[in-house]
């Protein structure tokens, strides 16, 4: 059974940093692209970042480029999202997703972790 | 970016009723659209992929259709466990973009 379990969320002040983790199990992690998707309170979902299976290439939405870094450790089957220079508009639930690319794309999701950016 | 307009944003329906939710894309995406179900406090679950294919393990009362830029998710006969939020995702062109979601509630 595919499982994705996020951790690392919480309350952080604007301008500070936070690092999310996603522990994956139930599949061969190194075979899949992975992604982060977020949903701000009362807003829709938006894709944040993706990483290839090897970690060699990464992709970001414009609003987080230069501030967020997606990475992975295939030996630990873990995905990360380093979030720097956080802004209030980054407040959201962040979901770790498996990206079956090219293919179905976002086929499995974690339950999400809340990040609140506030002073 | 491809815009995805989902309707309705909320829906009241009775058990046994046929329910339809629609996503309209701003440009052609072929069949590169998925539907998801999300219950409160749970991870989103893939229902339909490539617009019409039912994900393994999902009930056959769920189905997807499309014509041009218009995509529909249909529940043929609403069951209590179908009460949830539903959203669509286009994965034809990066960045992937989502519909705004539909909150399905019991009448």
């Amino acid at each position: 059974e595919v499982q994705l379990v996020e951790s690392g969320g919480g309350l952080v002040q604007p301008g500070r940093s936070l690092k999310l983790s996603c522990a994956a199990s139930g599949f061969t992690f190194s075979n899949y692209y992975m992604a982060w998707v977020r949903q701000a309170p009362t807003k829709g979902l938006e894709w944040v970042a993706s990483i290839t299976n090897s970690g060699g290439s990464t992709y970001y939405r414009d609003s987080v480029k230069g501030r967020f870094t997606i990475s992975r450790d295939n030996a630990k089957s873990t995905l990360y999202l380093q979030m720097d220079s956080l802004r209030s508009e980054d407040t959201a639930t962040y979901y770790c997703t498996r990206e079956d690319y090219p293919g179905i794309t976002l086929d499995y999701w974690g339950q999400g972790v809340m990040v609140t950016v506030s002073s | 970016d491809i815009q995805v307009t989902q309707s309705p944003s909320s829906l009241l329906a009775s058990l046994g009723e046929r329910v339809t939710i629609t996503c309209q894309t701003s440009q052609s995406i072929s069949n590169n659209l998925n539907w998801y179900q999300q219950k409160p406090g749970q991870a989103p679950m893939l229902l339909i992929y490539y617009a019409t294919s039912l994900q393994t393990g999902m009930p056959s009362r769920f189905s997807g259709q499309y014509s041009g830029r218009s995509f529909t998710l249909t529940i043929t006969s609403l069951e209590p466990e179908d009460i949830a939020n539903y959203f669509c995702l286009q994965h034809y062109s990066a960045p992937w973009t989502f519909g705004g979601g539909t909150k399905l509630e019991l009448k």
Side-chain angles (χ1 to χ4, degrees):
Chain A
E1 179 193 4
V2 172
Q3 286 198 332
L4 301 169
V5 179
E6 303 95 338
S7 61
L11 173 63
V12 60
Q13 293 179 327
R16 304 298 291 265
S17 299
L18 203 62
K19 187 172 185 176
L20 305 182
S21 299
C22 170
S25 61
F27 65 102
T28 304
F29 184 70
S30 59
N31 285 353
Y32 288 87
Y33 288 29
M34 296 294 293
W36 290 96
V37 172
R38 70 184 180 185
Q39 184 170 30
T42 71
K43 297 284 182 65
L45 290 151
E46 61 179 23
W47 167 81
V48 175
S50 293
I51 186 168
T52 56
N53 57 316
S54 67
S57 293
T58 56
Y59 310 89
Y60 301 91
R61 70 179 302 105
D62 287 346
S63 61
V64 308
K65 276 181 189 173
R67 300 189 299 121
F68 288 13
T69 303
I70 188 172
S71 63
R72 64 192 296 160
D73 185 335
N74 284 346
K76 294 182 178 179
S77 295
T78 302
L79 176 73
Y80 303 101
L81 185 66
Q82 175 68 45
M83 303 184 291
D84 298 324
S85 302
L86 281 161
R87 306 167 180 167
S88 57
E89 55 264 36
D90 297 317
T91 293
T93 297
Y94 285 74
Y95 296 96
C96 167
T97 69
R98 191 176 82 167
E99 189 164 356
D100 181 23
Y101 180 86
I104 294 174
T105 310
L106 308 182
D107 58 353
Y108 288 93
W109 297 53
Q111 288 192 298
V113 63
M114 185 67 198
V115 173
T116 302
V117 184
S118 175
S119 54
Chain B
D1 298 1
I2 294 176
Q3 308 304 312
V4 182
T5 303
Q6 185 171 343
S7 62
S9 57
S10 63
L11 180 56
L12 288 174
S14 302
L15 296 178
E17 187 175 335
R18 183 184 183 91
V19 171
T20 299
I21 300 168
T22 299
C23 281
Q24 180 97 12
T25 56
S26 60
Q27 61 189 77
S28 178
I29 62 167
S30 186
N31 65 343
N32 293 284
L33 185 127
N34 297 344
W35 289 99
Y36 300 85
Q37 177 192 70
Q38 185 179 22
K39 297 181 181 179
Q42 297 185 19
M45 293 184 65
L46 179 64
L47 271 176
I48 302 285
Y49 60 94
Y50 286 134
T52 62
S53 296
L54 185 68
Q55 174 71 334
T56 303
M58 295 301 170
S60 59
R61 62 182 177 274
F62 291 94
S63 65
Q65 293 182 300
Y66 74 107
S67 176
R69 296 182 291 111
S70 183
F71 298 79
T72 58
L73 171 69
T74 299
I75 309 172
T76 52
S77 180
L78 188 67
E79 298 282 340
E81 59 267 32
D82 301 336
I83 300 307
N85 288 312
Y86 293 85
F87 61 90
C88 59
L89 160 75
Q90 73 79 21
H91 57 94
Y92 174 79
S93 172
W96 316 140
T97 47
F98 296 86
T102 296
K103 184 175 184 179
L104 176 57
E105 297 176 294
L106 269 181
K107 191 181 292 182

